[in-house]
Amino acid sequence: MKTKYYIHIILLILTIGILAGCKKDFLDRIPETTITPNQFFKTSADLETYTNGFYGMFGPSTNDLYSDNISVNLGGSELDNMIRGKISPANVSGWSWGNLRTINYMLNNLQQVQGDAAAIRHFVGIARFYRAVFYFSMIRRYGDVPYYTTVLATDDQAQLYKAKDPRTLVADSVKADLEYAAANVMATGTNTRITKWAALTVLSRFCLFEGTFRKYHDELGLQASANTFLQRAESASKEVMTAGFTIYNTGKKGEDYKKLFTSEDLSGNKEMIFYDDYDRALNRSNSTHYVFDWQWALSKSLIDTYLMTDGTAFTSSPDWDKKTYAEIFNNRDPRMAVTVMPPGFSTTLGGIPNKTRPTFGGYPQIKYYAIDPTSKVYTEFTDLPILRYAEVLLNYAEARAELGLLNQADLDNTINVLRSRAGVAALSMTAANTSPDAVLANMYPQVAGANKGVLLEIRRERNVELACEGFRTTDLMRWKAGKLLERPTQGMYVAKLGAYDVTGDGVEDIAILQAPNQETPLDGLSADVKKNLVKYYLSDNSFYLSNTTSGFIMFPENLSSPRSFIEPKYYYFPIPMQQILLNPQLKQPSGWQ
Amino acid sequence: MTKFLLVMKLIIVLMVTGLLQVSATTSNAQSLSLVKKNITVKQVFREIRKQTGYNVLWEADKLQVGKTIDATFSRASLEEVMGKCLEGKNLTYTVEEKTIIIKARPLSLLDKLINFFQSLEITGKVVDEKGITLPNASILIKGTKTYHKTDENGNFKFSVPNEGAILVVSYLGYKTQEVPVSKTGQFTITLQPDQSDLEDVVVVGYGTQKRANLTGSVDAITSKQLENRPIANLGSGLQGLIPNLNISIANGRPNTAPDFNVRGFTSIYGSGAPLILVDNVPFSATELLTLNPADIESVSVLKDAAASAIYGARAPFGVVLMVTKSAKSNKLNVSLNSYTAYRTVGKLPELVTDPYEVLKLKNEAAFPLYNPAYSATLVEAARLRSLDPSRPDVIADPTDPNKWFYIGSTDWLKEAYESSAPTYNVGVNISKKADQLSYYLSANYYKQKGMIRGADENNNIYNLRGKVDLNITKWLTISNNTMLTSTLYEAPTFIDGNYFWNINRTNVTDIPRNPDGSWTSAGASLLGAVQEGGRKSLSANTVQTTFSFDAALIKNIWSLKGDATLRRVSSLNKSYEIPVPYKTGPNLAPPLTTSTSATDQNGNVKYNVINLYTQAQKQFGNHFISGLVGFNQEQYRTNSFSASRKQLISNGLPSLNLATGDQTVTESISEWAVQGLFYRLNYNFKERYLLEFNGRYDGSSRFAPGRRWVFVPSASAGWMISQEKFFAPVKESLSIDMFKVRGSYGILGNQASVNEYDYLEKMGSGKTSQILGGSQPTYVNPPAAISSNFSWEKVSTVNLGADISFFKNRLEINFDRYTRFTKNMLVPGKPLPAVFGTSSPTANAADLKTKGWELKLGWRDQLTLGGSPLTYNVVVGISDSRSYITRFDNPNKLLSNYYEGMEIGEIWGLEAEGFFQNADELKNHANQTAVGTDDQRYQYFVGDMKFKDRNNDGKVDFGNKTVDNSGDYYKLGNNRNRLPYSIDLSGTWKGFDLRVFVQGVGKRDWYAGGSNIYFWGIYAQPWTNVTVQNLDHWSPETPNAYFPRIKAYAAEDTGEELGIPNTRFLQDASYLRVKNITLGYTLPKNWLKKAKLENVHFYVSGENLFEHSNLKVKLDPEGLDGNIYPFQRTYSFGVNFNF
């Protein structure tokens, strides 16, 4: 009986113990490995950590998809689909606002941050830089958009369901953000991070965009304010031009130009204002080898844009429109042969030359395709420029020209620096204005005035220098040159059915024939040559020739599904239908209502 | 085999230890003094041990030790005492090592002859407890194989060998009875009904209850239904056994946890899994994977709110209660079981492997996008190779001669898997029940080899369990239940990459190795990656121990119970990766874009559970009252860190310590805790009117202070109509034994609808992908939007049920019908304009209603076949449920989200009208651009799908994608599993036993989404493989084929062209699967006696043997995704020994 008492007592103690163990805070469990906002945003170091997350929002571009620089793109693109009439509010994507919330979240949580005021302003500048980049892309895509500087709450009816703000407000805000960034982000430091100069470069880019957009898109009725932006583009460019950046030029012409896009280390390159670092040791690779012959090739219209080395237009040279693939590279701007695959190009160092494919038009892109000298095959660890100095020079020249302020000295400080690096004769303002290039004038009919000739040449230079860097589409849009996208694209010239040398060794490599078993055009070739020919048949209907059995390569899709550029509708993308349903205040851009 | 021997040795060691324990006492005296009248033989034996130290061993069926004698021994010899004890028995004994062993006296030939002539003629009848005769009752003469049975009137008449014979009389539904035959004459043998079903106790929350007194919806099975099957884990073993315990298994991977569900769709956000408890301790489905199925004694499923209310917020969607085995008899029981199984890969699609045909089809598919995808020169090369397979399968790429072009015919699905892989299992358990100390010890080893070819994939599970019950005093038992599990899974690292996707995305014209022996790109990314791309090992050790006490404060009236459990899990996952080099041309070895790396991940789980509860019960006349009050507290903490480092110094020594590159270290800790106070009150009147109230007051750390606690009550009632007098005539005429109706209502909370810290704003962090100033620094993300009034989801259930049995319990029917309301579901809030910038925060903003029922029919009977009784048992289970959204903040009824009135699982789509047969049809048909695919530039051609313009507006579209304006989009079907059913058939005859278990789903629609390459084949992408089914496609010659014109990307994206569900390709995904067939044989007992074995049972078993489905492609009906570790068929041979 005694034991029973003991055990009762033990049980009692146990019970009390357990119940006492139920402290009131037993259910308080606080995260230990994730941070909450009230523990963060305390020092400028926190701001640095937070802004590190922004760097994915603005990166390099290595192609011109989709623009008139592309012959054919198997992957398809939104813009291409739109001008073929296949994009509607029901199937369009986009209108995503996550990045803005991320940026505004920091800008709305600065109250607790302690530390050096300049350091804080530096990171605020970076955040505002990215907010400007965000809204720049929104303006480009939609024109008017609602503008927000705060993180929205679920019950913030007024903000969530508001109508779009006018383009002028949004553009001024973008400019203000970039100006703040230019004034507060530090000028020094690695060019893999945002610096004052990156902010000024984007300011220059944005103001040139907005200035020219307002100038040429008279339907907006904003021409009056165009010059304000052009002037800011000019002044911002000018400021960068005093910062010590230089065009990379060691006298190797095309090789120097190529280095900008195929180098594994751009850290010492004085042309880089902002670049993306890829690294073998850190396992960070890009996928630049896909630019070559994967889903697209470049168009005849881009190839035609390149000048001869003497500065004359290819399109004014004799028989320019009858030259075969191997011939067009003779005496051309050296930048062409490092942008478009020239005969003899091999995908490996010292390898067998590639035979171009007429199915893509025949002009594969090689800009950004890098070969590693050690492994002799392609490398994907090359650093990629995001903002480079050449653009600033081009922006400056264009802004000055549009403002009517351009002089020969400006050209010598800008366009001619680029031409000199490439080894192309200098541009003379007088010469250009005296006889404006007819081909370019036909492309850009809106360009007029005293500076018409030189402005057209500046646009040429811009397309040549910045080819495949993602500028072309935006340029066409701001110049109101969307109609260029209607033109059926073309590839290389085929004089007649038969065999061609595309590797530059004098031996025929490919043959373009009507159909299998119609091999008469190959008569006279040795059996050896015939055996190695890669044959393409018009009967496959993957391309056709502009004059049936001769002429430029063209693409059946442009016949079956022709492109028409409806103005001003196609200068903007529609907003997804669901968004209009959710917020009836939101109206589609012009042309999409 | 060595493992088997080891285990055998282990058993022997354990057995010897057990025996030594029994004979531990010693005494020199070999004489005995004892004077006592009416003493049982057993007491005499006890006295022998006390006085002489000699143990007595006997076989219970030979010697009735309860028999009394008058002992008058005074320093009597052992011989004398034993003689007296065995008086009148045909028994003798031997003394070995201080142990007296009693055995049968061997019969001389003469004895046998005499016995033969001494046979007795007996007659009699067998009746039930009311004196009603029982025809066809089985009568076995014990120790022989001679069966007799009663005639139509319940009478029998036959001869028995001698007076010592014992008749074993059995009749289904009645307790088997043994009748000694002492003389000739008339016997009336009265059998008592076997109330086991009614008297059966069922495990319920914090206790047990008589099945008859249940008022909630509870179903249970015993270990019998899990035995003798080569099941990899408990989840797969339970699949289909209990109606509306829905277990789905995602794939055939050895360590994939099955998904548990009770009663259909639960909640649209967060976990809807039932609470699984093993011996009162919660286990997740993943944790359950490592338990030894042979340790499980019973499984109860508490389905309605009333039954699971005692678990409050832990169990909104049912409870699965498992109880492990305990010692059952006071005899030492050693049982050993072992099986070996071979598994083969189940259904896989068949691929077209002829290179010429494949290239032609790919060119056709790619039209007009990549036109041609393969040039005429390549197709010609493939044609020549098809004609003459001895030609090389590699040629130089005509456009880029630096590269190779392949024209092979590799069936990668065959390359990827082994033809068969083995599984081994061996287990032993030892148990004994005694007055003071009972124990159950078990050990099991399970090893499964994986199916991936060349991957050397192994899953090893080691289990040990020890249970000890110590009766300290008459009223107090202290118990310990300790479990130790060790698992080791080894596999190639790449198996967690895109292996199963890549297998079928690797072109059949590709080959694994180049002519120079190097890997091809395809070979390296698939076979190379699993064979040389690095390995991983996941090891985990779990120790769990439960101390519990059971104090009978007032015997049979008031008890206090408590248990405390500690579980500690430590895991170490090690892996390394080595990029596999490959060549795309004779001199073309592309750079490896990843580097070697090693990763170690260490995890620790700390889990503590405390339960303390007290129960009182008393019968007052016809009134029975019982009450239970308790407290539960749980605390869970998981802490893991992971380190990885790039660039191994040597691929042969893949250690973190021997890597030189960039390193990443992360740590993650999370914790939760719950507390609850619960009660149960039972009342019944004559066991006829039953009432039960349950409730719980629960708190969870997953909610903000102030919203943490919730009270959830429930009530249920039952009425045993069969005990009512007025029902007697019905009962009589319909042969009803029992008829009970039940009803219940209860509310439960759901703490699993949210994660640990969801009520807090948390900022994520990571390492930038960009290299900023030479390194990849840390970044911090903004928190997701959090709703300010985040609280409990509540689940209430109304349940009505009936249990009825007929024909002396031969037929049993259980039926339940329920409606479950999931209220205040935490769901992403109402769709907000995208300018909000992140997902709409989850809020308690939606309600769901689920209606369903389940039915279980059981039939068992016995008949005589070939002179021996054949007992058989059929259990058919079927259930169903449908769920509807009853509240959701989606005022526009956007189809992209849930909306009020929506049925869960509904499939919206287009009506197919066949194919465009000619250009006119194509031109004149409504514009289908809006339902085209961007990859094909929204274009349609002759031979493509023609969709019906249901609203005749001249275009086929989705309207504005709302319920009220959905264009031509409409509801086609429903993808939920409907009418899951099972048929479990088992029978025994002579020594044989057979079980056939069929399981299936009665109704289900399924539509292969975009990029389901296993269904669509080449229609997904031109790079995917052409399945044999794809050959049945449209062409001008075959206008009525199954598939449309070969068109790549038509099925690439969900929501575009073929990626939009349509009536033509909507699949009937119902199926019937022969889940298991087992044929076993038990060796006759008399053979075993010589080998000192109690029971030996052999069996052959097949799992997932065969299935029937109406799918138009060769896919496993449970693995429709295709992109999974394939399901397997398992063939096994096993043996159980009992000593």
Side-chain angles (χ1 to χ4, degrees), chain A residues 28 73-74 348 352 542 557, chain B residues 369 371 402 588 595 708 937:
Chain A
D28 277 333
N73 172 29
L74 299 185
T348 63
I352 304 160
S542 61
E557 195 194 359
Chain B
L369 301 180
N371 190 14
N402 296 304
L588 203 57
S595 73
R708 247 168 213 168
R937 315 279 172 82

Side-chain angles (χ1 to χ4, degrees), chain A residues 3-4 7-8 11 14-15 18-19 21-23 26-37 40-41 49-50 52-53 55-56 73-77 80-81 84-87 90-91 95-98 101-102 105 146 148 152-154 157 159-161 190 192-193 276-286 292 295 346-348 351-355 357 359 375-381 533-537 540-543 557 560-561 577-579 581-583, chain B residues 367 369-373 375-377 398-403 472-473 475-476 549 551-553 560 582 587-595 610 612 631 633-635 637 646-647 661-662 667-669 671-675 699-701 705 708-709 757 759-764 768-785 830-838 840-841 892 894-896 929-930 934-935 937-939 959-962 1049:
Chain A
T3 37
K4 191 164 179 175
I7 286 162
H8 270 148
L11 287 177
L14 207 72
T15 312
I18 289 168
L19 292 172
C22 323
K23 292 170 293 185
F26 181 77
L27 296 180
D28 277 333
R29 307 281 154 170
I30 302 302
E32 294 168 53
T33 50
T34 40
I35 200 151
T36 51
F40 196 66
F41 294 124
T49 304
Y50 193 85
N52 286 339
Y55 282 83
N73 172 29
L74 299 185
S77 86
D80 191 22
N81 285 330
R84 292 182 205 269
K86 288 162 180 173
I87 289 288
N91 66 6
W95 199 255
S96 72
W97 292 74
R101 179 176 184 270
T102 302
Y105 195 86
Y148 299 104
L152 303 184
T154 48
Q157 302 288 324
Q159 292 283 305
L160 282 171
Y161 299 95
T190 167
T192 54
R193 288 184 179 272
D276 204 3
D277 188 4
Y278 292 85
D279 188 89
R280 200 179 290 271
L282 291 176
N283 247 357
R284 181 161 193 249
S285 63
N286 51 47
F292 175 75
Q295 286 198 317
S346 174
T347 50
T348 63
I352 304 160
N354 187 281
K355 301 173 189 176
R357 287 198 283 175
T359 46
S375 69
K376 299 185 175 172
V377 297
Y378 68 79
T379 166
E380 295 195 317
F381 297 108
L533 285 177
V534 183
K535 293 169 191 166
Y536 296 91
Y537 303 110
D540 277 346
N541 202 32
S542 61
F543 62 90
E557 195 194 359
S560 64
S561 180
M577 192 168 57
Q578 304 245 327
Q579 296 301 321
L581 269 175
L582 285 169
N583 176 12
Chain B
F367 177 84
L369 301 180
Y370 312 71
N371 190 14
S375 72
T377 318
T399 51
D400 187 351
N402 296 304
K403 288 185 181 157
I472 292 185
T473 68
W475 58 275
L476 179 67
F549 70 88
L553 300 178
L560 176 69
Y582 61 95
N587 298 304
L588 203 57
L592 301 169
T593 51
T594 58
S595 73
I610 294 172
L612 185 66
F631 169 77
Q633 172 176 302
E634 291 172 35
Q635 174 191 359
R637 182 185 170 89
K646 287 171 184 159
Q647 287 168 330
D662 182 47
E667 186 187 32
S668 155
I669 297 175
E671 232 184 339
W672 57 259
V674 290
Q675 279 179 332
S700 167
S701 66
R708 247 168 213 168
W709 290 86
Y757 310 111
Y759 67 95
L760 291 169
E761 287 197 319
K762 299 182 304 290
M763 303 181 77
T768 63
S769 138
Q770 290 73 30
I771 299 169
L772 306 176
S775 68
Q776 291 164 303
T778 302
Y779 67 86
V780 166
N781 263 345
K830 87 170 179 189
L832 291 173
V835 293
F836 185 61
T838 186
S840 184
N892 296 311
L894 300 179
L895 285 170
S896 54
T929 306
D934 60 340
D935 300 290
R937 315 279 172 82
Y938 309 97
Q939 298 177 95
N960 63 10
K961 294 187 183 169
T962 62
Y1049 299 121

Side-chain angles (χ1 to χ4, degrees), chain B residues 685-731:
Chain B
F685 177 74
K686 288 184 168 176
E687 296 199 335
R688 190 184 300 169
Y689 308 108
L690 312 156
L691 273 178
E692 181 174 317
F693 301 93
N694 281 286
R696 182 152 164 152
Y697 183 57
D698 248 327
S700 167
S701 66
R702 298 185 192 204
F703 296 97
R707 297 176 196 281
R708 247 168 213 168
W709 290 86
V710 68
F711 174 65
V712 289
S714 83
S716 57
W719 179 22
M720 191 65 94
I721 299 176
S722 52
Q723 289 196 12
E724 298 288 355
K725 280 209 177 77
F726 68 81
F727 194 71
V730 187
K731 197 175 160 183

